[in-house]
Amino acid sequence: MKKSVLPIILIVASVILIIVNIVASEAFDRKFWMRNVSSILLIVAMILTIRSQQKK
């Protein structure tokens, strides 16, 4: 159970960063999309990590 706490914390932090980025952004340029894509990829990686730990 403790092994899956850190990925969940990272998922929550990434979601908060995405929301803050959307609210605080004035222009939807390339930097905006790269920040959001990197957070989304981090979320996907943590979900895959949780799934692989549950299979073991």
Side-chain angles (χ1 to χ4, degrees), residues 31-45:
K31 293 177 187 177
F32 169 80
W33 292 110
M34 289 297 132
R35 287 190 299 260
N36 284 337
V37 168
S38 67
S39 293
I40 291 169
L41 289 175
L42 181 65
I43 291 170
V44 170

Side-chain angles (χ1 to χ4, degrees), residues 14-51:
S14 294
V15 170
I16 292 170
L17 286 174
I18 289 172
I19 292 170
V20 169
N21 189 24
I22 290 171
V23 171
S25 183
E26 295 177 2
F28 297 105
D29 55 354
R30 186 174 180 182
K31 293 177 187 177
F32 169 80
W33 292 110
M34 289 297 132
R35 287 190 299 260
N36 284 337
V37 168
S38 67
S39 293
I40 291 169
L41 289 175
L42 181 65
I43 291 170
V44 170
M46 291 302 108
I47 290 172
L48 293 175
T49 301
I50 291 171
R51 284 188 180 175

Side-chain angles (χ1 to χ4, degrees), residues 1-24:
M1 186 74 177
K2 287 188 177 185
K3 289 183 180 181
S4 64
V5 174
L6 184 61
I8 292 173
I9 292 171
L10 288 174
I11 290 172
V12 171
S14 294
V15 170
I16 292 170
L17 286 174
I18 289 172
I19 292 170
V20 169
N21 189 24
I22 290 171
V23 171

